[in-house]
Amino acid sequence: MLLDGKVILVTGSSRGIGLSSVRQFLRAGAKVYANARLENSLDFLFEQEESAVHLLKPLYFDIRDTQKLKSAFRLIQKSEGKLDCLVNNAGILEDVTLPMLNSRILKEIFETNVFALFESTALASRIMQKNGKGGSIINIASICGVEGGMRGQTAYSSSKGAVLAFTYTAAKELGSDGIRVNAISPGFIDTDMFRSGPKEIQENLIEGVYLNQRVGQPEEVANLCVFLASDSSSYITGENIRVDGFAHI
């Protein structure tokens, strides 16, 4: 299989794109360390995915907890001796109009969407450098980071813009070690985050998608994650790949 022997860590794995990515990685033969905040929230995968018994390793902690994040990477290093791919997927969205934005909301969004991503990438890169065989880091951004978000998404879109700038520079810094760093910018994907908004807004957004005017599926993002984690993408780095059906906000 495409990812046989690969060791992958996915953050924010309990639903949406993260959960779909875990499923696709398992089906491609990878050993997956899946992070989620809620204890036992990934147990159902052991019944639904045949390979999960041997290949799935749940890790329950909040990625904003630096000490627990470091412990997770130490566990992977000790148990596997390597890390082939990190998927920085965990993220939050709060709709707050600019006049109502405050430091508490900004801190919460950036701690999850940006600061934890910086920390996890630094920790992953150390393992990859030590192993000497490179690796792949995949940052889940958003088309909001490219085009700006809707009303109320100033903080969220700014955090995703930071993820993109980080991706480009990290690719330059880590390329000499054979570590590839890419971003994926999903558009309107059928996740809890997208469905949390008013239905009329969802419908208006989907009308702006040129590809069949439909919402995307998490699996369509996960399939790209599998490709970027594999050796088939060995000469691709510093890219932001949109998975949005050619949508515009």
Side-chain angles (χ1 to χ4, degrees):
M1 290 186 281
L2 190 61
L3 298 179
D4 272 348
K6 299 286 189 183
V7 177
I8 299 175
L9 169 61
V10 183
T11 67
S13 297
S14 62
R15 57 185 180 175
I17 292 170
L19 177 58
S20 291
S21 296
V22 170
R23 289 185 186 277
Q24 297 298 75
F25 286 144
L26 290 172
R27 293 168 186 175
K31 178 175 284 189
V32 184
Y33 285 80
N35 155 256
R37 284 189 297 176
L38 297 179
E39 195 77 24
N40 303 320
S41 59
L42 297 171
D43 285 359
F44 67 95
L45 285 172
F46 290 106
E47 298 180 2
Q48 295 183 1
E49 298 295 331
E50 185 177 351
S51 62
V53 174
H54 304 291
L55 296 177
L56 177 62
K57 306 293 182 182
L59 297 172
Y60 297 111
F61 64 93
D62 189 325
I63 62 165
R64 295 175 296 180
D65 187 325
T66 300
Q67 292 308 311
K68 290 184 178 179
L69 185 65
K70 289 180 178 178
S71 294
F73 279 94
R74 283 196 293 267
L75 173 64
I76 294 171
Q77 173 67 50
K78 183 178 180 180
S79 301
E80 310 296 339
K82 68 170 186 173
L83 178 65
D84 296 297
C85 177
L86 166 67
V87 181
N88 284 311
N89 171 72
I92 59 172
L93 166 66
E94 286 191 50
D95 282 340
V96 183
T97 57
L98 189 56
M100 301 302 295
L101 197 58
N102 57 50
S103 58
R104 180 194 64 80
I105 296 170
L106 276 172
K107 183 180 179 182
E108 184 175 9
I109 290 175
F110 272 76
E111 278 185 344
T112 302
N113 295 3
V114 182
F115 301 157
L117 180 145
F118 272 58
E119 187 82 33
S120 60
T121 302
L123 292 167
S125 66
R126 292 172 198 168
I127 296 177
M128 293 174 180
Q129 287 172 332
K130 186 175 182 179
N131 189 46
K133 296 183 179 180
S136 174
I137 294 168
I138 304 168
N139 298 322
I140 304 300
S142 169
I143 60 170
C144 293
V146 180
E147 298 193 356
M150 298 178 292
R151 184 177 183 272
Q153 294 183 349
T154 305
Y156 175 75
S157 60
S158 297
S159 73
K160 292 302 184 178
V163 170
L164 293 177
F166 171 78
T167 298
Y168 304 141
T169 309
K172 295 176 182 178
E173 287 195 14
L174 299 174
S176 60
D177 295 305
I179 300 171
R180 299 179 290 108
V181 188
N182 292 289
I184 298 175
S185 286
F188 311 127
I189 306 298
D190 192 7
T191 63
D192 292 344
M193 184 181 289
F194 178 70
R195 294 299 184 188
S196 65
K199 190 170 181 60
E200 62 272 15
I201 293 180
Q202 296 173 22
E203 293 173 350
N204 288 338
L205 290 173
I206 294 171
E207 286 177 2
V209 177
Y210 286 92
L211 184 61
N212 297 330
Q213 289 188 325
R214 69 173 178 88
V215 67
Q217 296 303 308
E219 293 79 10
E220 293 177 295
V221 182
N223 289 337
L224 178 56
C225 287
V226 170
F227 171 68
L228 290 176
S230 76
D231 295 336
S232 296
S233 59
S234 58
Y235 202 54
I236 299 174
T237 193
E239 291 295 330
N240 173 44
I241 304 174
R242 294 175 57 148
V243 182
D244 63 2
F246 195 34
H248 293 282
I249 299 174

